[in-house]
Amino acid sequence: MKSFLAKTTDAESARSTSAQAKINKRSFYFLIPAAALCIVLFLALTQTSRSFHSFTEDLFRLELSENTLSMHYTIAYPENFGLEDAEVTLPVFTPENKASRQKLLSDVLGFLHSLNPKLLNAKDAYTYDLLLSYFENEYDALEYFYYSEPLSPSSGMQTQFPILLAEYTFRSQKDVKDYLKLIEKSEDYFKGLLRFEQEKSLAGLFMSDTSVKKVIVQCDTIMDPSLLKNGSHFLQTTFRERLLKLKEQGLLTDEEIKYYESQNNRLLTTVMAPAYAALGDGLFLLSGTGKNPGGLAGFENGQEYYLYLLKKDVGCYSDINKIKTMLCEDFDKNLDDLAAITKKNPNLLSLASDGRFTAILPFDEGEPMLRYLQKRMEKDFPPLTSEVSYSLKEISESLASYSSPAFYLTAPLDDYSNNVIYLNPNSSYDRLELFTTLAHEGYPGHLYQCVYNNGKSAKKNPIRNLLGYTGYAEGYALYVELLSYDYASELAQNAGEKEAAEYYRLLKTNRKVQLCLYSLMDVAIHYDNADYSKIETFLSAMGVKSSQVCHNIYEYIAEEPANYLKYYLGYLEILSLKEKAREKWGNSYTDYDFHKFYLDAGPSDFRTLERHLD
């Protein structure tokens, strides 16, 4: 949910907290009696700990106060964090943002370098290591300030912003008012996005013509005037649905609902729709200024920016050649496994063609699948420490065409007892696909991991919730998704359906082959500068003969650098960490203990996780 845009800084706050941190009396310790030495050590530890917590709390509040959307999705009750009076705001880009960002990062690193992490307790020292790596990486990336793409056709803010509004939870009447203020500020927000794209163009870093055409079409269609006119736009229908829920709770009257609906309709038609039109027009004028039709490697310093993304998004600090080797070896192994399964069961695919294998699973709906997954995972995963409820819902029909096949809406860190998994009605799942999807999104996947982490948030620093280690979360979700294929095989085996059990293992291996293949192409396009012809040749050798399919794959990967690696490289990093745990823990190793180690650590980069394992 974090915006790509730069943040400003409260310089006075940073200076005051930095001043508290300078404690160093070690050179005088030998002159002090033992009892007094203990007191001095205790004071030094306490002062350092207080300074660290004060600084990170201020930084947490600063980051959230500058983006109301981010704050709303991170915390449910701002008053719990001293943010009850925060203004409703969006991070609007201005030419001064880069300098502000540099000042903030310089202040943060100055404070962190002034501390002695040996004077922190174990949990704070771990957070310190994460923050230092994260902000050093961010500071180094200032050189590539205009390489980010906030308007990517697949995941840009032109599509994400309205979805975030549509899923914006209304817990009170204040949330409704804040929501309307966000729409009111959308004009300036989109002007800032266009200004950023204009500066990217001047820097020779604008998106390709293929990409900009997609974004312009999105700008022309997302705020469809005919839908707005008849009241069927998803930002109208979902708004009313949420208002009615507040009415059911006795928090709104019919008159208030009527008023808020009129305000929503007015702002959508007079502010937000024109903002989209202006963004589309501005991008049209920039068409043709993009000089690079391929991946990041086609830009000067593009490879360096790609390595930054691997650290920031995946959490992987490994050398790029090591990453290539890891992916290639895994790809070869999976192909061998695939060949072995089909050789052993040559009729497996023909037997599975009628779909009977997937129908063998003893569940035909999501709820019993989730209940089974919760029960099955118990022996290998630590229990949640608090009562949790969840619901399985379909995405609103009006929103379905803009949404992914399924997603878990991440719960705020201070309100994680009620959770929702959304399924897209436009997606048709067979039983196995639904089973593995719910493992990824629910148990033991995102929902379980989020609740587990938030349940321990009192013992963790909240600043960690703002460090976007997507590889930690998505690598884990893929890890348990693949584990759920084993659960399905186990169910089939116990039912005496040995061929179905083998078929599930085949599908699991095929899933790994596919994701590893896409990850290899990601590296080839963005680091090795592979063009479309090379990717088409590669895919053709793998059996993909449709040129349209090849184009779609190439364009998506070119537009979303490191996206597949968040999942698959994150997954491989977990397997590597798991193997190191086996070696270190010897006969005492259990999957339960490893999963507990991983989950207890919380969102992290894999380098720091490995050090923590040591």
Side-chain angles (χ1 to χ4, degrees):
M1 302 304 174
K2 291 186 68 180
S3 169
F4 79 101
L5 293 173
K7 309 289 191 265
T8 58
T9 182
D10 184 340
E12 289 302 319
S13 174
R15 279 196 292 270
S16 64
T17 51
S18 180
Q20 297 174 30
K22 297 177 181 178
I23 303 169
N24 185 358
K25 299 181 180 178
R26 287 175 293 174
S27 58
F28 300 102
Y29 285 166
F30 68 94
L31 299 175
I32 303 174
L37 175 59
C38 291
I39 294 172
V40 172
L41 283 170
F42 173 77
L43 291 174
L45 288 165
T46 303
Q47 183 70 4
T48 301
S49 179
R50 286 176 179 171
S51 295
F52 183 69
H53 279 271
S54 176
F55 177 80
T56 54
E57 287 167 7
D58 286 346
L59 186 59
F60 179 77
R61 286 191 290 267
L62 173 65
E63 288 280 302
L64 292 187
S65 67
E66 295 189 343
N67 188 339
T68 302
L69 264 181
S70 179
M71 178 169 69
H72 189 77
Y73 277 92
T74 304
I75 56 176
Y77 304 103
E79 61 272 17
N80 294 344
F81 300 87
L83 287 164
E84 62 273 18
D85 297 324
E87 288 185 37
V88 176
T89 184
L90 289 170
V92 177
F93 173 79
T94 67
E96 293 76 34
N97 280 161
K98 184 178 180 181
S100 298
R101 179 70 171 167
Q102 185 171 21
K103 178 66 169 62
L104 172 63
L105 293 174
S106 180
D107 286 347
V108 170
L109 288 172
F111 171 78
L112 292 174
H113 288 144
S114 74
L115 285 182
N116 180 358
K118 294 180 180 179
L119 297 179
L120 297 171
N121 63 41
K123 287 185 174 64
D124 286 344
Y126 187 75
T127 299
Y128 175 93
D129 288 342
L130 289 172
L131 289 175
L132 188 61
S133 293
Y134 180 85
F135 285 109
E136 284 179 342
N137 193 38
E138 290 297 298
Y139 191 85
D140 291 342
L142 284 171
E143 185 178 350
Y144 318 116
F145 187 73
Y146 290 106
Y147 284 71
S148 65
E149 185 46 79
L151 297 179
S152 163
S154 301
S155 62
M157 288 308 298
Q158 77 283 358
T159 56
Q160 293 300 305
F161 184 70
I163 291 175
L164 291 173
L165 288 176
E167 297 295 340
Y168 194 97
T169 304
F170 291 168
R171 300 181 180 89
S172 66
Q173 193 165 171
K174 181 181 183 302
D175 288 334
V176 181
K177 295 176 181 178
D178 289 350
Y179 170 92
L180 293 172
K181 288 179 183 178
L182 286 170
I183 298 179
E184 193 171 9
K185 293 179 179 295
S186 62
E187 180 180 10
D188 288 338
Y189 180 63
F190 281 98
K191 282 181 179 178
L193 289 174
L194 180 58
R195 191 177 299 118
F196 184 79
E197 294 295 339
Q198 289 166 340
E199 296 201 8
K200 277 173 65 75
S201 176
L202 291 173
L205 298 169
F206 190 63
M207 69 182 81
S208 69
D209 282 355
T210 301
S211 295
V212 76
K213 286 177 183 176
K214 295 179 187 176
V215 179
I216 292 171
V217 169
Q218 291 167 346
C219 290
D220 291 342
T221 57
I222 287 175
M223 300 303 295
D224 188 323
S226 62
L227 296 178
L228 289 171
K229 187 175 181 178
N230 64 31
S232 61
H233 191 279
F234 69 81
L235 286 177
Q236 294 170 311
T237 57
T238 56
F239 184 71
R240 179 168 179 76
E241 289 167 5
R242 285 170 285 167
L243 292 182
L244 291 176
K245 288 181 181 178
L246 288 182
K247 180 188 173 183
E248 291 173 3
Q249 300 169 34
L251 298 176
L252 284 182
T253 65
D254 287 333
E255 290 75 18
E256 288 169 329
I257 288 177
K258 185 177 180 181
Y259 170 75
Y260 286 133
E261 281 196 290
S262 68
Q263 291 298 305
N264 185 50
N265 293 337
R266 178 183 65 82
L267 291 168
L268 290 175
T269 54
T270 64
V271 178
M272 194 161 162
Y276 267 88
L279 178 60
D281 292 343
L283 292 174
F284 178 78
L285 294 176
L286 294 175
S287 298
T289 64
K291 307 300 182 185
N292 175 23
L296 290 173
F299 294 119
E300 184 180 0
N301 298 320
Q303 289 177 317
E304 288 75 12
Y305 180 71
Y306 184 62
L307 296 180
Y308 155 76
L309 289 180
L310 293 181
K311 295 175 185 176
K312 175 181 179 290
D313 293 337
V314 183
C316 177
Y317 282 75
S318 297
D319 176 80
I320 189 65
N321 290 322
K322 180 180 178 182
I323 292 171
K324 290 179 182 179
T325 300
M326 186 186 303
L327 289 169
C328 286
E329 289 179 349
D330 182 80
F331 187 67
D332 289 342
K333 179 184 181 302
N334 289 329
L335 282 181
D336 289 343
D337 291 345
L338 207 60
I341 294 172
T342 53
K343 183 178 179 180
K344 181 181 177 182
N345 307 274
N347 299 321
L348 205 55
L349 292 177
S350 59
L351 289 171
S353 60
D354 62 358
R356 71 180 186 88
F357 282 165
T358 55
I360 286 171
L361 284 178
F363 322 101
D364 57 4
E365 292 182 348
E367 289 288 352
M369 288 182 182
L370 283 168
R371 288 195 294 271
Y372 171 79
L373 286 165
Q374 283 180 276
K375 185 67 177 176
R376 177 60 183 82
M377 65 179 279
E378 285 180 354
K379 70 175 184 178
D380 291 324
F381 293 85
L384 298 177
T385 56
S386 57
E387 289 295 321
V388 174
S389 66
Y390 64 85
S391 56
L392 194 60
K393 296 182 179 180
E394 279 197 347
I395 299 166
S396 171
E397 285 285 352
S398 58
L399 194 58
S401 59
Y402 300 95
S403 299
S404 58
F407 63 89
Y408 163 65
L409 193 61
T410 305
L413 65 91
D414 57 338
D415 184 19
Y416 52 87
S417 58
N418 298 303
N419 297 267
V420 181
I421 298 172
Y422 288 93
L423 296 176
N424 195 324
N426 291 351
S427 301
S428 55
Y429 296 99
D430 64 31
R431 290 190 184 186
L432 182 66
E433 289 169 338
L434 182 58
F435 185 74
T436 57
T437 296
L438 292 177
H440 183 112
E441 303 294 348
Y443 291 92
H446 285 313
L447 188 156
Y448 164 77
Q449 184 186 33
C450 177
V451 171
Y452 188 94
N453 183 56
N454 286 354
K456 290 179 172 289
S457 62
K459 300 178 182 179
K460 293 189 177 75
N461 196 310
I463 192 66
R464 293 186 55 186
N465 289 73
L466 301 186
L467 305 183
Y469 295 117
T470 315
Y472 174 91
E474 294 297 354
Y476 170 81
L478 178 59
Y479 170 83
V480 296
E481 175 193 328
L482 294 171
L483 181 62
S484 71
Y485 282 93
D486 297 335
Y487 292 168
S489 292
E490 179 181 271
L491 283 168
Q493 192 76 33
N494 292 340
E497 298 284 352
K498 294 182 179 179
E499 289 175 329
E502 283 298 301
Y503 180 63
Y504 297 159
R505 281 192 278 272
L506 178 73
L507 292 182
K508 173 185 177 180
T509 307
N510 188 63
R511 175 84 166 135
K512 292 164 69 177
V513 167
Q514 184 184 51
L515 291 174
C516 191
L517 175 67
Y518 290 161
S519 297
L520 283 166
M521 288 191 290
D522 195 305
V523 176
I525 292 169
H526 292 292
Y527 192 82
D528 296 325
N529 205 21
D531 59 14
Y532 172 71
S533 63
K534 291 181 180 177
I535 295 301
E536 184 181 35
T537 301
F538 182 44
L539 287 171
S540 179
M542 296 302 301
V544 181
K545 302 301 181 184
S546 167
S547 60
Q548 186 59 55
V549 171
C550 291
H551 268 288
N552 291 343
I553 293 172
Y554 177 80
E555 287 175 10
Y556 179 82
I557 295 175
E559 292 165 352
E560 296 290 332
N563 184 59
Y564 279 111
L565 294 170
K566 296 173 190 174
Y567 295 82
Y568 204 72
L569 183 56
Y571 161 72
L572 292 182
E573 287 279 13
I574 292 173
L575 293 188
S576 176
L577 196 66
K578 189 174 183 179
E579 188 57 36
K580 287 168 184 170
R582 287 183 189 277
E583 294 172 3
K584 290 182 179 296
W585 301 348
N587 293 334
S588 64
Y589 172 88
T590 64
D591 283 348
Y592 180 98
D593 287 338
F594 174 74
H595 296 152
K596 189 173 188 306
F597 160 80
Y598 188 84
L599 292 161
D600 282 350
S604 308
D605 64 79
F606 291 103
R607 182 178 68 177
T608 307
L609 272 170
E610 185 176 347
R611 291 172 179 169
H612 190 44
L613 187 67
D614 291 336

